[in-house]
Amino acid sequence: MFPPIMGAAAFVLAEVMQINYVIVATAAIIPAILFCLGLWASVHFEAKKLNLKLKDAKDMPHLKDVFLKGEALTLFVPMFVLILLLVYWLYTSV
């Protein structure tokens, strides 16, 4: 998919061009948002075409239960650490 490749290419671009990763990531925000909107529209219209319905609220897990499980932590903790290292402490991609 496009965003993971875009993320890997951003690290390489920042290193080759000898510029800060934050500048590259800022420039990539608009294409990433457009990609996500296009993906959402594709899924939305395909669901409409197939006449799919939403789940009942009683069948959905509570948000608190989802975040307290270990699976959610393995996704969010590394993501926040990476963002802190790259943006706040200005570590390079090398």
Side-chain angles (χ1 to χ4, degrees), residues 30-83:
I30 292 174
I33 290 172
L34 290 174
F35 173 79
C36 291
L37 286 174
L39 185 64
W40 174 83
S42 174
V43 170
H44 173 74
F45 290 122
E46 187 69 20
K48 285 281 191 188
K49 184 173 83 172
L50 296 174
N51 199 23
L52 299 177
K53 302 294 180 199
L54 292 174
K55 280 186 160 185
D56 290 331
K58 63 181 172 115
D59 295 335
M60 298 294 290
H62 293 284
L63 191 60
K64 179 181 162 187
D65 296 336
V66 172
F67 280 111
L68 290 179
K69 286 188 176 181
E71 293 88 15
L73 289 176
T74 59
L75 172 67
F76 291 115
V77 170
M79 181 176 64
F80 288 127
V81 168
L82 180 63
I83 290 170

Side-chain angles (χ1 to χ4, degrees), residues 17-38:
M17 299 294 294
Q18 294 295 313
I19 58 176
N20 194 346
Y21 176 75
V22 176
I23 296 170
V24 177
T26 304
I29 288 175
I30 292 174
I33 290 172
L34 290 174
F35 173 79
C36 291
L37 286 174

